[in-house]
Structure formats: structure tokens, C-alpha cells
Amino acid sequence: LAARIDTLPTAEKRLLQDAAVIGHDVPFALLHAICGMQEDEVRGLLGNLQASEFLYNTQLFPDLQFTFKHSLTHDVAYAGLRHERRREMHERVVQRMEALYADRLDEQVERLADHALRGHLFEKAVQYLRRAGEKARDREAYPEAVVLLEKALEALSHLPDNLARDQLAIDLRFDLRNALQPLGDRKR
């Protein structure tokens, strides 16, 4: 599969890797925003990737969206990127998502948290992970909330040590306690 991806023309390979950074499900608007190509060019390359059976169209309305044909294709395309380029692309995805979905960030908060964490945008990662944890807690998905809040605490450890960070650490621990309590995990 890696050899097959490597034989793609450079523009198609790059677009496939950009799509892999976005995730398994790839909104066209976001892919277009991060790739730096003209819309017609992106559509043409996506048509070629569909013909090669790397991606397929899963949604036309309200937003055009593509999905990787196989999870392994996504994984191999993502693994083909250098670590520094991956980090830069995740950072770019966060910036473009914040612009594209400015009026509905809460719908995208889990994806934003993941990309911020992978892009080493730790301040934003803490913010989005906490919001995602609160969202999970509100829908009574307590185990998910615990995982998200623990990731927020981990991301917080990468920020400079100051009073604001210490206060946020305390708040996150209270949030974590509130997610653990319904699970009966009083010891933790």
C-alpha cells in the first residue's frame, strides 16, 4: 500500500497525506483550506484519488465530505509524513477549523482538541479538551470525559509554570472529580 501511494503523482500524494492529517472523514472545505490549491485543482485530484480507490464520497449535503476507502490506507498515508510536517499540518488544521467553523466550534471541539494536541498547541489543546470533557460529561459519557480531562491535564503540563496554570490545574481536577464521581471511582 505504501508503494502504491508512493507511485502517485506528487500533487495527489500530498493531497492524500493532507487528507490523512484531517482524519478518516475529510470535509472538502477543510481540505481545500489547508492544501493551498485552487478549488478546481483539488476537485480534479480528489476525482483521481477516488478512481484509484483511496477515497470515496460519503456526503454531498450540507457539506461535501470524503472518507478513506480503508482505515489502513489512512494509516499508511499518515505514517508517510515526517513528524515535523505532521505537527505543522495539525496546527494548520486547527487554524482553518477555527475560521471555517467559528460559529459552531462546539460541534467540532473533539476534533479541534485532537488536532491542537497533535500540533503541540498546548494552550488551545487544554481549552478544547476541557470543553470536550464538559460536553461528554453533560451527555453522561463519564468514561470519555475522564479520558479527555486527563489529556487536558497532560497538555497543561507543557505550559509555563505560573499562577494561571496552577489555578487551571485545580479547576481541571475538580472537573475530573465531577466526572469520576458518577462512576463510583471515589478513590481516584
Side-chain angles (χ1 to χ4, degrees):
L1 189 54
R4 195 168 154 233
I5 290 172
D6 284 338
T7 62
L8 288 171
T10 304
E12 287 178 26
K13 179 180 176 182
R14 182 170 178 214
L15 190 66
L16 185 68
Q17 290 175 326
D18 289 352
V21 170
I22 291 172
H24 200 295
D25 298 317
V26 185
F28 175 80
L30 182 56
L31 181 60
H32 176 247
I34 70 164
C35 74
M37 295 182 216
Q38 296 296 321
E39 184 175 340
D40 292 342
E41 185 180 3
V42 175
R43 287 184 187 277
L45 294 173
L46 283 170
N48 295 343
L49 291 170
Q50 283 182 280
S52 301
E53 297 188 354
F54 287 110
L55 298 171
Y56 66 98
N57 188 322
T58 56
Q59 183 177 307
L60 295 172
F61 185 79
D63 299 315
L64 182 60
Q65 183 168 295
F66 293 85
T67 298
F68 279 82
K69 184 88 173 185
H70 302 286
S71 292
L72 186 58
T73 304
H74 170 265
D75 296 346
V76 171
Y78 186 77
L81 287 167
R82 292 182 349 263
H83 291 289
E84 186 60 28
R85 174 138 163 71
R86 266 188 231 167
R87 189 196 60 71
E88 290 169 2
M89 291 303 297
H90 283 294
E91 187 176 330
R92 187 180 303 167
V93 168
V94 170
Q95 293 167 353
R96 298 303 190 269
M97 283 183 76
E98 288 174 335
L100 281 172
Y101 306 116
D103 57 336
R104 52 189 177 149
L105 284 180
D106 280 341
E107 293 174 17
Q108 302 291 329
V109 73
E110 295 87 353
R111 289 182 86 173
L112 281 162
D114 182 55
H115 287 295
L117 201 54
R118 291 174 185 241
H120 296 181
L121 301 170
F122 295 115
E123 191 169 325
K124 287 184 180 191
V126 170
Q127 171 193 350
Y128 289 131
L129 285 163
R130 185 176 187 195
R131 285 172 64 181
E134 290 169 352
K135 188 175 165 184
R137 189 189 65 227
D138 289 347
R139 66 176 194 277
E140 298 180 4
Y142 300 114
E144 181 183 341
V146 168
V147 169
L148 291 164
L149 292 167
E150 285 176 338
K151 284 183 180 181
L153 281 168
E154 173 60 31
L156 188 66
S157 71
H158 294 280
L159 297 179
D161 192 15
N162 58 34
L163 180 61
R165 185 187 99 163
D166 292 345
Q167 290 171 335
L168 186 53
I170 291 168
D171 291 343
L172 282 169
R173 284 181 175 84
F174 277 118
D175 292 345
L176 184 58
R177 179 206 59 188
N178 293 339
L180 287 167
Q181 202 161 20
L183 295 172
D185 195 349
R186 298 200 188 332
K187 186 175 183 180
R188 274 182 71 197

